[in-house]
Amino acid sequence: MRSVELTIKELLNMPLLQEAQVISGAKGLERFVKQIDMLEQPYTIKGYPKGTLIFIDVYPIQQQPEVLIHMIEQLHTSEAVGLMIRSAQKIHPILTEAILQSDLYELPIISLPEHISYMDITYAAIEQTLYRQEKLRQRSDETYRTLTAMVLENIGIQAVSDHVAGLLKAPVAIIDHSETLIVSSPIGWDFRQARYPVRRNINIDQRSVAYLLIDKEQWNAMEEVGIEQARLVLALELMRNKIIEDTENRLRGNFIDELMTPPAPPRHEVEQRGQQLGMNPLHLWEVAVIEGSVAPDEEWMTRLLYQEAAKYNIRPHIEFRSNRAILFLPTPQVKATPSIDAGQSSIPWATIVLSWLNDQEGKLAGYRSGIGRPKALWDIHEGFSEARNALTISRRLSGETALTAYKDIEVYHLLRGTMDEKGFGLLFDRKLGKLKQYDEEHTTDLLRTLFFYLESRSSLIETARQLSIHRNSVKYRLERIRDITGFDLNDPHEQFVYQMCLIYYYLLEHSE
């Protein structure tokens, strides 16, 4: 017969079955009936689909009530939902073991009056199912109209979420794939504490963009319809929000292009437009440039950045250019008045970006980054210039260090622009010419070893880390350097002179 999709309890509530009696297995009355089938002989229970309710006349088992034990076992094995016996009162007695077994499996045994036939039950169940389907359709239409009207009236995703929670009589949350909460109902509910969390995808353009999380152990067909309608309407709401967000990002990108191309707009204009576009002019802004051989994963990087920013309740921005990601990282100021070179940032952006670069399970392994100093919004082009300079110097001087902060290499940048190339060149040849020649002839790396040794304040461990070699190898190389140059590694004046020569060599002559 056709699908029924009613619970046994709902069937028993039909007028036709008002005289039916539940003999045992009452805990299973909430099971859903997929179909009703008639059984001719008690030993032929096989091949029935899951969810079948079996109808049988009393006569095949009237003279051998012990057959019920076998039937209950077989029904349980085949995942049937219950047994209806017409005129079951004629079985004398119904074995206690059969009743206990029925209760154990929560498989109801129901006695029907003698005048009720299999066809009577079938027709009544179909009629009830059709009625219920029509009610579901009406409820579905009503729910959809209500939710859609809320979207069209721009009431907001929170109001939609509240309506869905009321419909399901359960807490709900909409969360994105980074486990960041978008909205919850009730407001402030921690979805991580849900006892019965069930997630349903919310899709836009056949791509999952978020989850609807429901904290409810069970729900009926009417609520299932509500869930499906909610998913559709929430997708519409999220799509609209995404369009708004994409538009804002494009406007912010245009604004940043203006800020990064001197001369910047007047300060009052920057403050006004920054406020309108969500780039707070009262914050200080650091610029970080992340660069690799290929472009970073845009979706992953954006999610990573905004997930971190959510911890501080701030709104950053990110741009992607060729093989670079350019991050604009705000930090609320302690004082209300911005200053160009304010003190240390209260948000450790350099540490955060470095942790991304060093995360072997992330997608930035092998990338480098430079980060500028905190700047006022109208001076953000200076921070971008510093980040690029830090990145350039990083490639030449920083060894295995993935991130270079401009504040740490500012003196190198200044030297790079003021060095007398001829004078430094002659000094380098006198001091380190032999060492350079030795490196070229023997394919060694003594110049870089000396540079990192001086940079690390004579630390063997740090030098070994930067060169990815053992500490004993550093000791051996330093001995060779002494032999070739006659350099006294303990003389502070000599250390300074040699360090300046090496900075000149790597920044000006040995640029990549």
Side-chain angles (χ1 to χ4, degrees):
M1 63 167 289
R2 62 186 292 173
S3 176
V4 175
E5 291 292 343
L6 297 171
T7 66
I8 298 175
K9 186 174 182 179
E10 287 172 328
L11 282 174
L12 295 178
N13 285 333
M14 295 188 304
L16 176 70
L17 298 179
Q18 291 300 304
E19 298 178 33
Q21 294 180 346
V22 178
I23 297 172
S24 58
K27 289 185 178 179
L29 293 177
E30 296 294 341
R31 289 182 173 182
F32 271 93
V33 179
K34 301 294 185 181
Q35 68 177 39
I36 303 173
D37 264 311
M38 185 172 182
L39 185 65
E40 297 290 343
Q41 297 295 329
Y43 290 104
T44 59
I45 303 174
K46 60 180 180 179
Y48 288 109
K50 178 182 177 181
T52 300
L53 177 63
I54 300 296
F55 177 96
I56 190 171
D57 213 320
V58 71
Y59 301 110
I61 55 176
Q62 187 174 8
Q63 302 304 319
Q64 43 182 347
E66 65 277 3
V67 154
L68 268 178
I69 299 172
H70 167 78
M71 289 184 66
I72 293 168
E73 190 66 41
Q74 292 298 308
L75 289 170
H76 173 68
T77 302
S78 64
E79 297 188 78
V81 295
L83 176 64
M84 286 184 164
I85 305 175
R86 184 163 65 174
S87 303
Q89 69 274 12
K90 294 182 179 181
I91 303 174
H92 293 292
I94 294 181
L95 298 180
T96 302
E97 184 178 349
I99 293 175
L100 292 175
Q101 199 173 24
S102 168
D103 287 335
L104 175 64
Y105 293 144
E106 298 182 3
L107 191 141
I109 297 177
I110 301 163
S111 175
L112 300 179
E114 188 170 1
H115 65 271
I116 296 178
S117 69
Y118 167 70
M119 294 305 297
D120 291 337
I121 296 175
T122 301
Y123 289 142
I126 291 174
E127 186 178 275
Q128 182 69 14
T129 299
L130 292 175
Y131 173 76
R132 182 178 180 182
Q133 289 174 346
E134 176 60 22
K135 294 294 289 184
L136 281 173
R137 187 192 64 77
Q138 293 176 3
R139 180 68 179 274
S140 173
D141 291 346
E142 179 186 344
T143 300
Y144 181 72
R145 284 195 299 270
T146 301
L147 291 172
T148 304
M150 296 177 77
V151 174
L152 294 176
E153 293 169 9
N154 196 19
I155 293 177
I157 194 169
Q158 181 65 61
V160 175
S161 174
D162 292 343
H163 186 82
V164 173
L167 181 71
L168 302 178
K169 298 180 178 60
V172 301
I174 294 90
I175 54 177
D176 65 20
H177 289 288
S178 64
E179 294 299 300
T180 301
L181 178 69
I182 299 174
V183 292
S184 68
S185 300
I187 296 174
W189 175 60
D190 185 358
F191 66 90
R192 297 175 184 83
Q193 303 301 319
R195 294 180 60 194
Y196 307 106
V198 176
R199 297 185 180 216
R200 296 292 181 88
N201 281 335
I202 300 174
N203 298 326
I204 296 177
D205 293 333
Q206 299 182 340
R207 183 172 63 90
S208 176
V209 296
Y211 297 106
L212 170 62
L213 185 144
I214 308 137
D215 186 14
K216 192 167 186 176
E217 186 175 11
Q218 294 180 343
W219 48 73
N220 56 35
M222 197 77 76
E223 291 169 331
E224 183 68 41
V225 168
I227 291 172
E228 293 308 305
Q229 298 290 8
R231 288 175 59 216
L232 176 60
V233 172
L234 287 169
L236 293 174
E237 184 69 28
L238 290 176
M239 182 183 292
R240 183 178 63 187
N241 290 348
K242 186 177 186 302
I243 292 171
I244 294 172
E245 183 179 338
D246 288 347
T247 302
E248 289 181 348
N249 282 334
R250 186 168 60 254
L251 292 174
R252 278 198 296 273
N254 294 338
F255 178 50
I256 282 174
D257 283 342
E258 293 184 47
L259 294 178
M260 301 251 278
T261 308
R267 173 172 170 173
H268 71 275
E269 182 180 335
V270 174
E271 290 178 329
Q272 181 180 11
R273 291 177 62 190
Q275 197 69 46
Q276 292 171 346
L277 295 173
M279 299 187 70
N280 194 330
L282 297 180
H283 291 173
L284 291 176
W285 292 79
E286 295 171 78
V287 180
V289 177
I290 298 176
E291 182 180 82
S293 57
V294 296
D297 185 320
E298 293 189 14
E299 184 175 344
W300 178 82
M301 270 240 58
T302 302
R303 184 168 64 247
L304 188 68
L305 174 61
Y306 279 89
Q307 187 174 356
E308 190 68 36
K311 300 176 183 177
Y312 301 97
N313 195 28
I314 55 171
R315 189 176 185 182
H317 185 74
I318 186 167
E319 292 278 321
F320 294 93
R321 313 279 174 87
S322 185
N323 62 332
R324 288 177 169 180
I326 307 171
L327 283 60
F328 301 87
L329 309 169
T331 294
Q333 291 190 89
V334 176
K335 296 181 179 180
T337 304
S339 69
I340 294 177
D341 291 319
Q344 290 295 319
S345 168
S346 59
I347 300 178
W349 282 118
T351 303
I352 292 168
V353 173
L354 182 59
S355 70
W356 298 344
L357 297 168
N358 289 336
D359 183 2
Q360 296 303 311
E361 297 182 2
K363 299 183 180 181
L364 293 177
Y367 284 74
R368 282 183 178 273
S369 178
I371 187 168
R373 294 173 296 177
K375 301 287 180 180
L377 184 59
W378 46 88
D379 289 329
I380 209 169
H381 63 278
E382 294 181 6
F384 177 58
S385 178
E386 291 180 356
R388 287 190 302 171
N389 286 324
L391 189 59
T392 299
I393 292 174
S394 164
R395 287 195 294 265
R396 301 175 186 176
L397 299 180
S398 295
E400 298 300 315
T401 301
L403 179 137
T404 302
Y406 180 81
K407 64 182 179 63
D408 295 331
I409 53 85
E410 182 177 10
V411 66
Y412 299 157
H413 175 65
L414 296 175
L415 286 170
R416 187 178 174 210
T418 59
M419 280 181 171
D420 176 359
E421 296 188 28
K422 183 177 179 180
F424 266 98
L426 293 174
L427 180 62
F428 176 85
D429 288 340
R430 289 201 309 271
K431 294 292 186 179
L432 292 169
K434 291 182 181 179
L435 196 61
K436 177 186 176 185
Q437 182 179 356
Y438 184 89
D439 271 349
E440 292 170 348
E441 291 176 355
H442 297 84
T443 320
T444 53
D445 206 9
L446 299 182
L447 278 175
R448 278 169 52 84
T449 302
L450 179 58
F451 173 77
F452 286 120
Y453 179 72
L454 296 174
E455 277 287 292
S456 63
R457 298 182 182 179
S458 306
S459 169
L460 295 177
I461 295 176
E462 181 60 22
T463 304
R465 188 189 69 80
Q466 291 281 9
L467 295 169
S468 300
I469 60 176
H470 194 272
R471 185 175 60 176
N472 290 337
S473 297
V474 176
K475 287 183 178 180
Y476 171 77
R477 291 184 183 186
L478 292 176
E479 290 298 328
R480 296 296 302 137
I481 291 169
R482 288 192 187 96
D483 293 342
I484 295 168
T485 64
F487 171 33
D488 181 0
L489 295 175
N490 296 317
D491 185 331
H493 176 73
E494 286 286 278
Q495 288 179 347
F496 174 77
V497 172
Y498 275 80
Q499 190 170 11
M500 290 299 100
C501 288
L502 287 166
I503 291 171
Y504 156 78
Y505 174 68
Y506 283 114
L507 287 183
L508 297 182
E509 282 204 351
H510 196 57
S511 61
E512 298 176 358

